[in-house]
Amino acid sequence: MSGFWGWGGWDAAGAMATTGATFVALWLGLHEVQMRKKDESDRQSAQARLVVPVIDADHGEVVNHSAEPLLELRIIRADADVDGKPVAVRWPEDAQRTFRNVSAGQARYLELQKQGWGPLIDPEVGYEVGIDKGIAPANATHRRLTVQFIDASGLRWQRVGLAPPTRILGELAEPAPNTE
């Protein structure tokens, strides 16, 4: 036989098929590794997703909604956004912000301090209608606590508000001091 489908043509077609099969096998293996890593990450963060830090009215609250205890919990800071920039929220100087052994279902609280933020400008009338006093300015958005904790497996996590938790590979941070 002569032409493309002679011995040389079959060799080329076989080589292309073998190469294609190799790429498919490599892709499937890589995909399997990625899926296993994602499953492991999801398993590890299962408890961390159930630790919920929020600011409600004039206090911060961190609830361990998981079925396992937290070995340590630290409330690192409280803040809110004003015009897209974070503004620190204050707390009493003697407030406890490091807790050990927070049991399943338990909450820890941080009382927040009201302060004066300057004149309160009514957006509809455009002039001052009083003093802006509260834990954050009246026009603040996205009030949140930043917490770090050690879960029941000994893994370290950080959660900023209701954003997904992220792993911490080093030590937990010390709670931030009040701003001046």
Side-chain angles (χ1 to χ4, degrees):
M1 240 191 244
S2 65
F4 178 77
W5 294 111
W7 289 110
W10 283 111
D11 288 346
M16 286 191 299
T18 301
T19 302
T22 301
F23 281 122
V24 168
L26 287 172
W27 180 84
L28 287 172
L30 181 61
H31 182 71
E32 178 68 21
V33 167
Q34 289 172 336
M35 293 306 295
R36 285 185 183 178
K37 282 183 180 179
K38 184 178 179 338
D39 288 346
E40 177 66 10
S41 176
D42 287 348
R43 185 190 63 72
Q44 287 178 345
S45 67
Q47 182 181 10
R49 289 190 308 266
L50 296 173
V51 175
V52 180
V54 295
I55 292 179
D56 184 27
D58 60 354
H59 71 275
E61 176 181 62
V62 184
V63 182
N64 178 12
H65 288 288
S66 76
E68 299 292 328
L70 299 178
L71 303 179
E72 186 170 336
L73 167 68
R74 294 182 184 185
I75 301 174
I76 303 300
R77 71 179 154 273
D79 58 13
D81 289 340
V82 176
D83 299 327
K85 296 179 184 155
V87 172
V89 174
R90 296 176 60 87
W91 49 85
E93 290 296 329
D94 61 346
Q96 182 179 358
R97 295 190 299 138
T98 299
F99 306 92
R100 302 226 190 303
N101 298 319
V102 180
S103 297
Q106 283 190 327
R108 295 295 183 259
Y109 300 93
L110 175 64
E111 293 303 317
L112 299 172
Q113 201 170 36
K114 291 184 179 180
Q115 52 191 324
W117 297 96
L120 181 60
I121 309 296
D122 187 312
E124 291 182 19
V125 295
Y127 57 83
E128 185 178 331
V129 293
I131 295 177
D132 187 356
K133 187 171 173 102
I135 63 164
N139 63 338
T141 58
H142 300 106
R143 294 176 178 160
R144 64 193 164 265
L145 292 177
T146 298
V147 298
Q148 293 184 355
F149 54 93
I150 302 173
D151 69 12
S153 299
L155 300 176
R156 293 170 174 85
W157 298 92
Q158 176 170 294
R159 189 151 193 198
V160 179
L162 298 177
T166 56
R167 281 283 303 275
I168 299 172
L169 299 178
E171 296 299 316
L172 298 182
E174 290 298 320
N178 265 329
T179 58
E180 294 301 321

